[in-house]
Amino acid sequence: MYDVIILGSGPAGLTAAIYCGRANKNTLVLAGNSLGGQTGEIAKLENYPGWQGSGMELIQFMKKQAESFGSKIKFTAAQNITTKEDGSFSVVCDNGEILESKTLILSTGASARKLEIDGAKELFGKGVSYCATCDGFFYSGKDVIVIGGGNSALNDALYLADLAKTVKIVYRKSEFTRAEAILRERVASKENIECVYNTELQSIKPTSEDRLIATTTKDESIICDGVFVAIGHEANTDYLSEDIKRDEMGRIIKESLPEGMFVAGDVMSGIKMQIATAVGTGCTAGMDAIAYLNSKE
């Protein structure tokens, strides 16, 4: 029986693990299949105070810090959760293991929203990608498209511009209203980035030359080598029962959680999806779990 099981190994979960470990609570982090969530995919992290480096470097630092206080990391994910009669929780993992804990902290984050057009699913991993830092290397000197208009899309375009021959950002609106000004300025200054506004992709098909042809809502065709998708995120909550309420983005509404269960990070409703806010809510969730456990002693 653990004191605390934390679902998710991003900044929120690892921050909670640091606090719970320092409070001498028997703490386990279920990291899923890979460490760090979305943060681990950031090539250059600029907007987290006090840090210069990649997202994965930050995650590795936080992991070591959590482990130094006794928190354990296990690479498996929760499949479902049940509340036991005594108020503790049973977690069934995807490796078949069943774990028990007095408290749970849900910090499973969010995943990239999939592009729902003809060819996108079929060509995933064959020209369609949801991770520029993972797959950008394969498109060195080639022509690529980025779909989206927020910070993630513009960051992806800037990253790819240093690798690819050309980058086209295809966006359904007339301007990048959701992206930070500094990113808009950097995109505008890059000679090999072109912005295609008021446009959406309708389909993606392979060509006979092992390239892609993307058709648009303007009845135009764009020949490219890769399509990178950055159109938002959906909360990772498939392991939860329907009695836990979610908002329109699928994120957890804190007030619907049972006693002893806490939430932090991008999976939590009502917060900005930033590393700084994830760390803050991870701190809060960790301290709330500690106070709950202490009240039961």
Side-chain angles (χ1 to χ4, degrees), residues 101-121:
S101 182
K102 298 173 185 176
T103 65
L104 290 180
I105 296 176
L106 313 179
S107 56
T108 43
S111 297
R113 184 174 289 125
K114 299 298 186 285
L115 187 63
E116 301 292 342
I117 63 172
D118 289 345
K121 184 177 180 181

Side-chain angles (χ1 to χ4, degrees), residues 9-295:
S9 60
L14 293 176
T15 298
I18 290 168
Y19 275 82
C20 292
R22 289 184 74 245
N24 202 30
K25 304 303 180 185
N26 185 12
T27 303
L28 175 68
V29 177
L30 300 185
N33 296 322
S34 60
L35 194 69
Q38 296 178 71
T39 299
E41 299 174 358
I42 299 173
K44 185 178 181 182
L45 186 56
E46 294 184 317
N47 60 348
Y48 184 66
W51 185 262
Q52 289 184 325
S54 71
M56 182 51 73
E57 287 171 330
L58 175 62
I59 289 297
Q60 290 288 358
F61 188 90
M62 295 175 75
K63 174 180 178 286
K64 290 178 182 178
Q65 193 172 1
E67 290 175 328
S68 74
F69 294 118
S71 293
K72 300 176 181 65
I73 313 287
K74 187 183 288 284
F75 284 91
T76 187
Q79 280 193 328
N80 62 69
I81 295 167
T82 55
T83 304
K84 301 169 67 179
E85 289 185 5
D86 63 358
S88 63
F89 302 97
S90 178
V91 181
V92 178
C93 301
D94 58 9
N95 64 358
E97 199 171 359
I98 299 176
L99 305 169
E100 295 183 345
S101 182
K102 298 173 185 176
T103 65
L104 290 180
I105 296 176
L106 313 179
S107 56
T108 43
S111 297
R113 184 174 289 125
K114 299 298 186 285
L115 187 63
E116 301 292 342
I117 63 172
D118 289 345
K121 184 177 180 181
E122 294 80 2
L123 291 167
F124 173 64
K126 302 173 184 177
V128 175
S129 172
Y130 293 86
C131 180
T133 55
C134 305
D135 300 327
F137 171 81
F138 300 109
Y139 297 88
S140 296
K142 297 185 177 182
D143 302 306
V144 300
I145 296 174
V146 174
I147 309 300
N151 285 348
S152 295
L154 269 60
N155 269 317
D156 285 356
L158 289 165
Y159 177 80
L160 291 165
D162 290 334
L163 298 169
K165 180 182 178 183
T166 66
V167 179
K168 281 187 173 70
I169 305 176
V170 177
Y171 188 42
R172 59 190 175 87
K173 295 185 179 180
S174 60
E175 57 182 330
F176 299 128
T177 54
R178 295 187 295 116
E180 294 174 358
I182 190 170
L183 296 178
R184 299 198 301 267
E185 291 168 4
R186 288 176 181 174
V187 163
S189 69
K190 283 283 188 180
E191 292 184 358
N192 64 337
I193 296 181
E194 177 186 351
C195 300
V196 183
Y197 298 110
N198 298 311
T199 304
E200 295 183 70
L201 292 195
Q202 285 189 318
S203 67
I204 308 170
K205 296 178 181 178
T207 71
S208 57
E209 293 82 22
D210 291 327
R211 303 189 79 195
L212 300 177
I213 181 168
T215 59
T216 75
T217 49
K218 291 183 176 180
D219 293 325
E220 297 172 340
S221 296
I222 302 173
I223 302 295
C224 64
D225 298 290
V227 175
F228 290 84
V229 184
I231 55 173
H233 297 84
E234 296 175 345
N236 299 321
T237 57
D238 289 349
Y239 57 91
L240 293 175
S241 60
E242 292 303 318
D243 57 326
I244 294 177
K245 294 182 173 58
R246 282 85 141 182
D247 64 14
E248 66 279 359
M249 292 177 61
R251 299 193 293 173
I252 297 166
I253 296 173
K254 180 180 178 180
E255 292 73 18
S256 70
L257 293 175
E259 189 178 64
M261 192 180 291
F262 309 92
V263 61
D266 287 356
V267 77
M268 179 179 176
S269 179
I271 70 163
K272 301 294 184 184
M273 297 175 73
Q274 297 291 314
I275 296 173
T277 50
V279 167
T281 55
C283 167
T284 299
M287 293 181 73
D288 287 348
I290 293 164
Y292 175 82
L293 290 165
N294 289 343
S295 72

